[in-house]
Amino acid sequence: MSTREVFTDRLQAGVLLLPTMVVSLVFLYYPTVRAVGLSLYRASLARGDVFVGLENYRRLASSSEYLRSVLISVLFAACVVVGVMAVALCVSFLIHEIDVGKGVYLVAVIWPYALPPAVAGLVFLFIAHPNIGIFTSYIEAFGVDVNWFSNGPQAFVVVLIAAVWKQVGYNVIFMTAALGNVPESLTETAELDGVSRTRRLLRVYVPIISPTLVFLVIMNTIYGFFGTFAMVDLMTKGGPAGATNILIYDLYRTAFQFYEFGFASAKSVVLFVAVGLLMYGQFRLSDRYAYYGG
Amino acid sequence: MLGSLLTALTAAAERSRSAGRTTSERIRRFETEQLTLHVLAATIVFLIILPVLIAALVSTKRAGIVTSIGDLAPGGHALSNYRRALIGLEFWRFMLNSFLMSVAVVVGKLVVSLLAALVIVYYRFPYKNAVFLFILFTLLLPVPVRFVPLYRLTTELGMSNTFFAITVPYLASATTVFILRQHFLSIPASLVETAKVDGVGPLRFLWSVLVPMSRAVLVGVSVIMFVYTWNQYLWPLVIINAESLQVAQVGLSLLRGQASTGEVAWSMVMTGSMLTLLPPLALLVLFRRQLLETFTIQQK
Amino acid sequence: MGGTNGETLQGLVDQFQSETDINANLVFQDSYEGVLTNTLSALDSGEVPDVFQIDSLFAQQVLDTDAVEPVENLLSDNYPVDDFLSNVTSFFTIDDTLTSMPFNNSNAILYYNRSAFKEAGLDPDSPPTTLEEVRSYSQTLVDEGVTEAGLTWPNHVWFVEHFYSVDGQTLLDAENGHAGQPTTMQTDNSTARSLYEWWHEMADNGLFSNPGIEAWGEATSTFLTGKAAMLMTSTASVTGIRSGAEENGFEVDNAFYPTIDGDRTGPVIGGASWFVPSGLPQERQDDIGSFLEFMGRPESQITWHKGTGYYPIRQSAVEQLENDGWFAENPMYRTAFDQLTQAESTPATKRMLIGPARQVQTTIQDMSVELFSGDVSVDEGLSELKSAVEDELDRYYS
């Protein structure tokens, strides 16, 4: 790598880096720092800021609602990651094993990724609305009582399904690409040895594409915490009784419906720390389990 | 369930493999296997597409209050609905704004990130790794975490409700820099060594050598960035008030708000949704090959 | 103000422009909440629009910014403020000054499906008037297999407010915030208990269809598709519902909002008013004054009422409509208005004036779900609700 570093003009380097650095500083780092600062205030719109020290954090720590929101978010993100990757793995594997028409299936699966999250939530609401949903009466024919406006766990599941559905395409693209890189010879050897498809998938392919899987776990975690906002906003608004009140939605509501900016900043700080820790943990774990190299 | 199905399938295949070994029988069994795989894949894929298909169908209807499968027959109002959405409800303006915003961001981000990746890979200077980490670290700072102070900052700068506000904050992209860096690292070092010897400056090197060699990746990365920007909802929602500047995603929620008062049919909301879906979808379909190439980089 | 209401509004604005040569530009938002956010942030940053339309629920919040000019100062001296319906202006008058200009006001009423009633053997000319009657009508409708549920309405705090006001009970103390800072929600009374017990029973027996929180459109859809035979929603939807019923092939009618047990005080006010920021140059103020006066003209009010369903707020407009026979031909348009004029004016019928409106609104809506789903007992739920609202009020005002 060091043989590539042929240019040494530092001034040039600085200038070329400038746009990235400036934008990062001004629009990414600075607001974050301010968020931490703002979290020590009680701030609203058109009312003047009041310094309150750690009170916002104290309020968070003692709010059972908020702690519940944290648990729900973690659980939700975990389910999203597991759900998405399991489904995507199956689909990618199927596409890999199919000889003809791979492109068609791939394109078909990409749709949800192109779909704006707001539309996804809206469409699901339309389909599964407890009263006027299109499929509701058919689902109820199976004996399932569709009432996810009042039933917390059910609401959780419905939003989860919408979230997983949306993200599968993104994962399939990566996994298919990765599977496509697996040497043909490996597949042939496995087949000749009479290894069943499932075992081939789990014992051979998965370890080989583990770098991609690690990457996807991280991206899916970010998605599970942040990317699912629109779905909650459109389908359940955090309800019922906070069953789908994931942190990002709770944050949005505190900031832009209740205008409690200081409190919302405290929540962002907590969210940032939580996700940061989670991803750090994932990095460390991946070092142990992933298989890099030839 | 899928696993055991596959296992059963394979077990049956293995048994029959040992039973009949004539070539034609093997081919037939092979074809049956493929058929089953196709059926499985098609079912799953159909389930995945289904919600969007429904949205498309509803967008062709008049009132859009669909409560049973029977109502799903395509209505004949596709043309009038789409025309009303685009012209009557001014959706064309939202689409245009989204388009301008996304293109501006993509171009801007490409340029900025190319420069950054160039420096990271081909320059030597102290604390370079720290700089790289500095850029990467921003991945942990997604919009939701900073948007409260970002909102205040933008308003204080007097930039709220401007085109600037919905483009500039997106210009620094850690993912793009990262992907480009990985790609540059896969380009033989000899190329840049020759360039240095020949006295070629960094920018010319970038333009004449790196860019042509990175076509697929650049396209792939552009598509990703376009889709990402096009689908932005939260930030434009918060920072843009004027309808004339609003982007399609938020325009959609305007439509929905109107539908809530019963003034606009739900089918219009679906029409708006389909319109919003088309550009990113078209890009993904057109450039899927490049996308696949771009994503393979992640292996390293 | 989207869809046809928006079109009507735009029509009025265009008329204003052509008559006065003053330029006026409408900027639509997706909801009152959207307007509020934009207004507050505009006031925060100093980039204010000239006039903004704020829902009555958020009036106090806007007033608390201390950045608005009472509209009374912008109207010409001989403007007939007395011609406005007193129940309407009383809400928007603080300390004897008219702070915002009422424009589109409404209250909630009960819509019902006459055809469904007939089919179930109920008399379509005597709609239910109390909670108990609503319940038994619903039971009949469902038992006869005519509809899936009896009644639906969007879970918005406005309806809880109506139940309270119709029963003559203030929702908050301090006269619903009009006589000082409110500190608590009144839940320790028969109104609250009867309401939520009834709500829970209806939900439990499948007589109430829950369309979602603030789900105006979904509730209306539930009614129009015949899934529920009765709908409670704003009179502002009367035009849409009338044509929707026609499309779906049934006869629709409307009636007063049901009372808790027969005693009727009156509805709360709903809808919005025009607020004006302070500190604008005199010339601008004059223009804005003309605009406000134009919007409050009897002719404008008549156009507005006919196009939407919001009731006219000028006495002379009402008289004109009566003389023209409009109400005789369109009885559904008068229901809300009658409900208003027949009301007693008490603190209970003045809509609450609170700072943390959105927080309290969300709290009540969310807790209502728990209460009617039976996740908590009525007593427990009510006391939880009470303390949650107290927390919000305390936090805002301290």
Side-chain angles (χ1 to χ4, degrees):
Chain A
M1 183 159 117
S2 42
T3 55
R4 284 188 177 80
E5 297 170 349
V6 294
F7 300 110
T8 50
D9 188 336
R10 293 190 200 169
L11 189 61
Q12 263 182 11
V15 169
L16 292 175
L17 273 179
L18 203 60
T20 307
M21 302 299 278
V22 166
V23 174
S24 301
L25 262 171
V26 173
F27 292 104
L28 281 89
Y29 281 101
Y30 174 63
T32 311
V33 168
R34 258 183 91 161
V36 177
L38 199 57
S39 70
L40 301 175
Y41 283 75
R42 199 176 75 179
S44 184
L45 275 177
R47 269 185 100 202
D49 297 351
V50 176
F51 183 78
V52 292
L54 291 174
E55 187 192 307
N56 287 329
Y57 292 98
R58 231 173 293 151
R59 194 174 145 200
L60 284 179
S62 58
S63 159
S64 58
E65 261 170 38
Y66 186 70
L67 295 174
R68 185 151 183 247
S69 175
V70 173
L71 279 169
I72 299 257
S73 306
V74 172
L75 181 62
F76 187 73
C79 292
V80 166
V81 173
V82 169
V84 169
M85 295 190 74
V87 174
L89 201 57
C90 293
V91 176
S92 310
F93 185 59
L94 279 173
I95 294 184
H96 180 254
E97 297 288 293
I98 285 177
D99 291 333
V100 280
K102 278 196 222 248
V104 175
Y105 287 115
L106 211 55
V107 167
V109 160
I110 287 181
W111 276 53
Y113 173 56
L115 197 64
V119 176
L122 208 53
V123 171
F124 262 86
L125 183 64
F126 211 71
I127 294 180
H129 192 286
N131 304 344
I132 53 180
I134 301 179
F135 285 154
T136 311
S137 41
Y138 298 95
I139 300 177
E140 288 190 331
F142 281 103
V144 177
D145 187 21
V146 178
N147 61 346
W148 48 277
F149 280 167
S150 342
N151 181 330
Q154 214 186 86
F156 187 88
V157 169
V158 172
V159 179
L160 182 64
I161 294 179
V164 166
W165 170 80
K166 174 98 181 44
Q167 186 72 344
V168 165
Y170 182 79
N171 279 249
V172 167
I173 297 174
F174 278 90
M175 288 184 186
T176 316
L179 282 175
N181 270 354
V182 171
E184 265 305 303
S185 50
L186 215 58
T187 315
E188 283 164 12
T189 329
E191 270 181 352
L192 282 170
D193 286 348
V195 179
S196 77
R197 278 194 214 263
T198 333
R199 204 161 296 148
R200 184 152 41 97
L201 171 67
L202 293 174
R203 291 291 158 80
V204 180
Y205 290 158
V206 167
I208 290 188
I209 61 171
S210 48
T212 305
L213 293 180
V214 164
F215 170 76
L216 285 173
V217 167
I218 295 177
M219 298 308 285
N220 290 334
T221 308
I222 296 186
Y223 170 75
F225 273 101
F226 300 116
T228 47
F229 167 77
M231 262 155 275
V232 172
D233 186 32
L234 282 152
M235 294 173 82
T236 59
K237 302 222 183 303
T244 55
N245 192 20
I246 55 177
L247 288 171
I248 180 63
Y249 183 75
D250 182 62
L251 174 60
Y252 165 76
R253 197 156 59 162
T254 309
F256 290 98
Q257 289 187 3
F258 299 163
Y259 309 119
E260 294 176 35
F261 286 147
F263 195 41
S265 297
K267 290 185 179 181
S268 343
V269 170
V270 171
L271 183 58
F272 164 68
V273 168
V275 178
L277 282 175
L278 202 61
M279 286 205 279
Y280 178 70
Q282 284 171 344
F283 264 126
R284 296 302 299 275
L285 269 170
S286 76
D287 276 345
R288 263 207 286 160
Y289 286 110
Y291 168 79
Y292 290 91
Chain B
M1 186 187 86
L2 195 62
S4 53
L5 188 63
L6 284 177
T7 321
L9 208 67
T10 340
E14 282 177 282
R15 256 180 279 122
S16 50
R17 208 175 290 163
S18 44
R21 288 184 180 271
T22 60
T23 320
S24 54
E25 280 180 315
R26 260 219 219 103
I27 291 178
R28 233 176 296 130
R29 250 161 254 132
F30 178 68
E31 278 171 1
T32 325
E33 256 182 42
Q34 282 288 302
L35 194 64
T36 329
L37 285 175
H38 274 278
V39 168
L40 271 171
T43 321
I44 297 186
V45 164
F46 178 69
L47 280 175
I48 292 183
I49 305 188
L50 194 59
V52 182
L53 269 179
I54 294 182
L57 277 172
V58 175
S59 74
T60 62
K61 300 184 75 65
R62 185 157 153 242
I65 299 180
V66 176
T67 51
S68 67
I69 301 258
D71 289 340
L72 274 182
H77 291 262
L79 215 53
S80 65
N81 277 354
Y82 281 90
R83 199 179 324 143
R84 181 163 173 221
L86 280 172
I87 303 178
L89 295 170
E90 300 233 314
F91 226 71
W92 67 269
R93 198 200 296 275
F94 299 141
M95 304 271 290
L96 182 66
N97 285 331
S98 281
F99 188 72
L100 288 174
M101 168 193 171
S102 305
V103 166
V105 170
V106 167
V107 168
K109 255 209 264 217
L110 262 184
V111 170
V112 169
S113 306
L114 270 173
L115 294 180
L118 175 72
V119 171
I120 301 264
V121 175
Y122 294 110
Y123 272 73
R124 179 178 19 229
F125 58 93
Y127 303 116
K128 193 169 75 160
N129 278 330
V131 168
F132 186 48
L133 272 169
F134 179 82
I135 298 178
L136 266 193
F137 195 69
T138 61
L139 270 176
L140 282 182
L141 308 173
V143 173
V145 163
R146 5 173 209 111
F147 74 163
V148 172
L150 189 58
Y151 174 75
R152 277 194 163 185
L153 173 68
T154 322
T155 330
E156 278 164 23
L157 286 178
M159 294 291 171
S160 77
N161 217 19
T162 61
F163 192 67
F164 183 93
I166 49 174
T167 49
V168 173
Y170 291 111
L171 286 187
S173 167
T175 6
T176 316
V177 173
F178 184 70
I179 292 179
L180 285 175
R181 171 189 183 259
Q182 301 298 86
H183 176 71
F184 287 170
L185 285 179
S186 75
I187 294 180
S190 53
L191 281 172
V192 71
E193 283 166 5
T194 331
K196 177 78 186 245
V197 165
D198 286 350
V200 174
L203 288 179
R204 249 196 83 198
F205 178 63
L206 176 67
W207 183 251
S208 318
V209 180
L210 287 179
V211 167
M213 288 202 70
S214 319
R215 277 222 174 91
V217 172
L218 288 178
V219 170
V221 150
S222 302
V223 172
I224 302 176
M225 291 193 291
F226 185 88
V227 173
Y228 172 75
T229 318
W230 180 269
N231 286 346
Q232 282 299 300
Y233 171 71
L234 202 47
W235 179 241
L237 173 71
V238 154
I239 200 70
I240 301 276
N241 310 334
E243 220 174 277
S244 54
L245 274 182
Q246 196 47 277
V247 302
Q249 301 305 328
V250 182
L252 195 56
S253 78
L254 263 174
L255 259 185
R256 187 178 182 237
Q258 293 171 356
S260 273
T261 60
E263 297 306 326
V264 163
W266 281 103
S267 56
M268 292 307 296
V269 181
M270 288 304 151
T271 310
S273 305
M274 293 309 292
L275 284 174
T276 329
L277 169 63
L278 284 174
L281 181 63
L283 283 178
L284 281 177
V285 170
L286 281 173
F287 296 115
R288 65 186 182 280
R289 190 182 57 83
Q290 286 87 339
L291 274 174
L292 280 177
E293 266 185 59
T294 316
F295 294 140
T296 328
I297 308 288
Q298 299 306 322
Q299 284 290 81
K300 301 197 184 93
Chain C
M1 291 287 109
T4 52
N5 283 6
E7 281 163 16
T8 312
L9 187 58
Q10 185 68 59
L12 281 173
V13 171
D14 290 340
Q15 198 187 351
F16 173 71
Q17 287 191 123
S18 62
E19 282 186 20
T20 60
D21 255 353
I22 300 178
N23 231 348
N25 235 345
L26 279 182
V27 179
F28 288 110
Q29 309 293 330
D30 61 338
S31 63
Y32 283 130
E33 286 80 5
V35 176
L36 180 65
T37 309
N38 287 323
T39 303
L40 290 180
S41 50
L43 289 173
D44 201 39
S45 68
E47 252 183 52
V48 292
D50 294 322
V51 180
F52 29 92
Q53 188 186 28
I54 300 285
D55 184 58
S56 47
L57 182 59
F58 305 126
Q60 184 63 51
Q61 240 174 330
V62 172
L63 289 171
D64 280 344
T65 65
D66 279 335
V68 289
E69 180 87 26
V71 296
E72 204 174 284
N73 300 348
L74 282 92
L75 300 172
S76 31
D77 290 328
N78 53 0
Y79 196 70
V81 181
D82 296 330
D83 191 38
F84 281 83
L85 298 178
S86 55
N87 317 51
V88 169
T89 48
S90 71
F91 177 79
F92 299 105
T93 307
I94 309 212
D95 292 335
D96 274 339
T97 327
L98 188 66
T99 48
S100 59
M101 186 72 171
F103 176 60
N104 54 316
N105 297 109
S106 61
N107 49 51
I109 47 183
L110 178 74
Y111 294 86
Y112 63 96
N113 184 335
R114 289 180 73 94
S115 320
F117 271 30
K118 272 187 231 158
E119 217 184 301
L122 297 164
D123 181 7
D125 286 319
S126 63
T129 56
T130 67
L131 292 188
E132 178 47 42
E133 283 177 20
V134 171
R135 198 199 59 74
S136 76
Y137 275 57
S138 303
Q139 191 71 60
T140 315
L141 284 156
V142 172
D143 286 341
E144 296 291 321
V146 177
T147 55
E148 274 172 40
L151 169 71
T152 186
W153 78 85
N155 182 1
H156 191 286
V157 73
W158 197 45
F159 295 92
V160 174
E161 294 180 76
H162 269 79
F163 278 119
Y164 267 71
S165 73
V166 159
D167 206 36
Q169 170 70 50
T170 53
L171 187 68
L172 306 172
D173 60 342
E175 289 185 16
N176 265 351
H178 285 261
Q181 284 176 2
T183 57
T184 183
M185 176 176 170
Q186 322 267 52
T187 54
D188 235 328
N189 48 57
S190 61
T191 311
R193 218 162 288 131
S194 313
L195 168 64
Y196 281 103
E197 274 168 10
W198 166 82
W199 201 347
H200 170 54
E201 211 193 317
M202 293 277 290
D204 220 20
N205 293 330
L207 302 173
F208 166 71
S209 183
N210 176 19
I213 296 197
E214 296 174 29
W216 301 89
E218 287 88 319
T220 308
S221 292
T222 309
F223 175 69
L224 289 178
T225 54
K227 291 223 171 353
M230 297 185 268
L231 167 73
M232 296 196 301
T233 193
S234 170
T235 180
S237 302
V238 74
T239 318
I241 290 182
R242 197 166 64 162
S243 50
E246 229 175 273
E247 259 172 48
N248 282 285
F250 65 85
E251 236 189 296
V252 71
D253 203 347
N254 57 21
F256 282 9
Y257 201 82
T259 61
I260 302 275
D261 56 10
D263 295 326
R264 177 182 300 277
T265 309
V268 275
I269 207 165
S273 57
W274 305 109
F275 277 85
V276 180
S278 54
L280 293 176
Q282 186 61 43
E283 203 190 274
R284 209 83 192 90
Q285 284 195 7
D286 290 338
D287 285 348
I288 298 176
S290 313
F291 177 75
L292 295 178
E293 290 180 6
F294 177 83
M295 285 303 180
R297 261 182 6 184
E299 299 83 5
S300 311
Q301 279 294 310
I302 291 179
T303 314
W304 179 244
H305 164 78
K306 286 190 178 179
T308 61
Y310 284 103
Y311 49 71
I313 53 177
R314 292 288 298 266
Q315 199 55 51
S316 24
V318 174
E319 282 160 15
Q320 172 112 41
L321 286 166
E322 260 172 2
N323 293 341
D324 289 345
W326 162 264
F327 285 132
E329 285 171 39
N330 302 280
M332 285 215 295
Y333 280 72
R334 323 188 47 117
T335 314
F337 176 71
D338 286 339
Q339 195 172 230
L340 176 72
T341 50
Q342 287 176 25
E344 284 170 51
S345 186
T346 77
T349 55
K350 277 193 174 189
R351 191 169 195 195
M352 59 179 175
L353 213 54
I354 44 169
R358 202 85 177 90
Q359 286 92 315
V360 171
Q361 172 187 14
T362 314
T363 309
I364 295 181
Q365 285 164 187
D366 287 346
M367 267 315 293
S368 294
V369 176
E370 287 191 54
L371 277 161
F372 73 69
S373 329
D375 288 341
V376 291
S377 74
V378 174
D379 282 325
E380 232 185 274
L382 284 178
S383 73
E384 250 185 71
L385 177 56
K386 186 183 176 71
S387 48
V389 172
E390 279 169 7
D391 280 343
E392 295 297 345
L393 291 170
D394 182 49
R395 208 186 331 269
Y396 183 88
Y397 286 116
S398 59

